[in-house]
Amino acid sequence: KWNLEDTATTHRSKLFVDRRTLTGPMLDFLRRRRTSADPVAMLLTGLAGAGKSGLMAHVAGVLLDGNPPGGGHGVLLMRGEKLVAEPGARDVLFATLCRGLGVADNAVTSFADLLRRLDADRDADLLPDRSFYLLFDGVNEAQRAELVYQQVLELVTAGRQYPWLRVIATVRDEFLGRLREQLPGTATDPLGALDRLFFCPGDDVPREYHPPPGRPAWVVPDVTPDERRAMYEQHRAAQPDLCPWDSLDPDVRDNILVRPLLIRLWVDHFVGRPVGTIHNATDLFVRYLDGLRGRRPGLTENALPRAVDHMLKVGRAVLDDEDAREVGQDADGVPILEVLVDAGLFGRQVALA
């Protein structure tokens, strides 16, 4: 499958600054011993490009690095953009999770059934204290995001009675806001009704990490001034032609380069170039796209519009091989969707069998 790819937010281990005000609580939550009365899940929200994917990949890596050779805790990191269902399928998350665990999805019928089976299997486990960590990153990026989000809540509800299970999920603020706006009449937010199942920031946590009332989550805020500098200097170590951090306009440092995505766009556009006037994040996006157009005019003036026009025509954000044939080829005979994948604007996905 082919789908629009948000490559700028993809975690790259060489360019990661550990935000311990977030990774600390995440790892503490995952590692602490819990009973069936304790929270089973943790939800991270934030704006696009806030760094949620980087945090999840880092935490997954820390957990795996801490496992002893030959065994340890189970860690499964799943990206929303990889959850692609066949037409009419309603169990995309359930089926994908079963595959990840090596359980035939026709052998169990629900999350509760799956967890009961896993719990029974633990009786024969040689590591009785083994925990299972499920990390769902970018739930809003799934093909049927509203359904996948609801299935995550179902999994959390079913998992509360199993002390060996921990779940962390990330989702964009905009997605949660849209879901709340779509609630009919006096209907309540299903997430708010499950607040006791989620680990939330306490009174000792700074306010910027606290969500709006009724949302049991942690907010991933803008990066701090020290984190911005550290992220930028990591890029500069790899790109020596990038101008020094201290030479940037203070307004750019303090009000524009406030999220990992924006720092990445700045680096991609201005490495080896003089820095012009940038008034806000919108200016930065426009300048980035203008630069892309200059480097690859055929890409943005021909290939990308053709692919997006086809998406609008068929009413789908995910395209298959038949769509690829309809979108056609470029002047060199290369399928346009392949060109967009190579440029990092589209991503390739494998559909469920």
Side-chain angles (χ1 to χ4, degrees):
K1 304 285 184 180
W2 287 267
N3 192 16
L4 286 169
E5 177 85 345
D6 189 4
T7 55
T9 60
T10 299
H11 169 63
R12 303 179 182 187
S13 58
K14 294 180 181 179
L15 300 173
F16 178 76
V17 172
D18 189 359
R19 303 171 68 180
R20 297 190 179 181
T21 49
L22 288 164
T23 58
M26 292 169 73
L27 289 168
D28 286 345
F29 163 72
L30 291 168
R31 288 169 169 166
R32 70 177 59 165
R33 299 182 72 90
R34 63 171 290 265
T35 69
S36 57
D38 294 324
V40 63
M42 183 177 181
L43 180 67
L44 273 65
T45 71
L47 298 175
K52 300 181 293 296
S53 294
L55 291 168
M56 290 285 270
H58 175 76
V59 165
V62 170
L63 294 173
L64 290 170
D65 290 342
N67 272 341
H73 300 301
V75 182
L76 184 59
L77 172 62
M78 303 175 67
R79 286 279 302 160
E81 65 188 21
K82 304 302 181 184
L83 297 175
V84 182
E86 291 298 326
R90 291 189 52 82
D91 60 352
V92 53
L93 181 63
F94 177 72
T96 306
L97 183 57
C98 286
R99 279 193 178 83
L101 297 175
V103 177
D105 55 4
N106 59 0
V108 289
T109 59
S110 66
F111 288 120
D113 195 14
L114 172 63
L115 293 174
R116 279 193 297 269
R117 173 166 178 160
L118 295 177
D119 190 57
D121 289 344
R122 295 182 81 252
D123 291 340
D125 201 331
L126 298 180
L127 296 172
D129 292 329
R130 186 198 304 266
S131 292
F132 183 36
Y133 306 123
L134 282 175
L135 309 179
F136 299 114
D137 182 40
V139 171
N140 54 278
E141 297 179 17
Q143 181 183 353
R144 301 177 65 185
E146 292 84 356
L147 177 60
V148 171
Y149 171 71
Q150 182 60 44
Q151 291 176 337
V152 170
L153 298 185
E154 292 174 7
L155 172 63
V156 169
T157 302
R160 67 183 304 176
Q161 62 180 301
Y162 300 106
W164 46 266
L165 179 67
R166 314 283 193 288
V167 179
I168 296 185
T170 70
V171 63
R172 286 184 186 173
D173 275 346
E174 304 94 322
F175 175 78
L176 291 178
R178 188 173 73 249
L179 287 184
R180 177 164 291 189
E181 291 173 357
Q182 293 174 352
L183 290 174
T186 59
T188 58
D189 187 343
L191 176 61
L194 302 177
D195 57 345
R196 293 186 179 182
L197 303 184
F198 285 86
F199 169 54
C200 299
D203 294 338
D204 58 330
V205 176
R207 296 307 305 173
E208 59 264 30
Y209 298 94
H210 286 250
R215 182 180 295 175
W218 287 69
V219 173
V220 180
D222 291 344
V223 289
T224 66
D226 288 343
E227 290 167 344
R228 295 170 207 165
R229 176 187 290 272
M231 290 178 183
Y232 187 88
E233 292 300 341
Q234 282 190 348
H235 285 287
R236 189 162 179 261
Q239 306 274 13
D241 292 339
L242 199 62
C243 65
W245 175 256
D246 289 329
S247 70
L248 295 177
D249 186 283
D251 186 59
V252 170
R253 297 197 306 258
D254 298 338
N255 300 311
I256 298 178
L257 303 185
V258 295
R259 299 198 292 276
L261 169 62
L262 299 173
I263 294 173
R264 176 74 196 203
L265 293 181
W266 181 280
V267 170
D268 283 352
H269 180 70
F270 285 115
V271 61
R273 298 183 181 184
V275 176
T277 301
I278 301 290
H279 297 287
N280 49 44
T282 300
D283 280 353
L284 176 57
F285 275 105
V286 170
R287 193 70 66 87
Y288 174 78
L289 291 174
D290 285 345
L292 181 62
R293 185 177 297 114
R295 296 192 301 271
R296 303 285 297 275
L299 188 70
T300 54
E301 296 176 7
N302 181 27
L304 185 58
R306 285 176 63 177
V308 173
D309 285 347
H310 184 79
M311 285 180 168
L312 294 173
K313 173 186 173 183
V314 299
R316 286 183 281 108
V318 178
L319 306 180
D320 57 22
D321 290 339
E322 181 60 32
D323 294 308
R325 285 188 284 271
E326 290 189 35
V327 173
Q329 303 175 340
D330 66 5
D332 297 322
V334 179
I336 284 176
L337 295 186
E338 295 285 359
V339 174
L340 295 172
V341 168
D342 290 341
L345 293 176
F346 272 43
R348 190 189 309 280
Q349 300 178 332
V350 179
L352 296 175

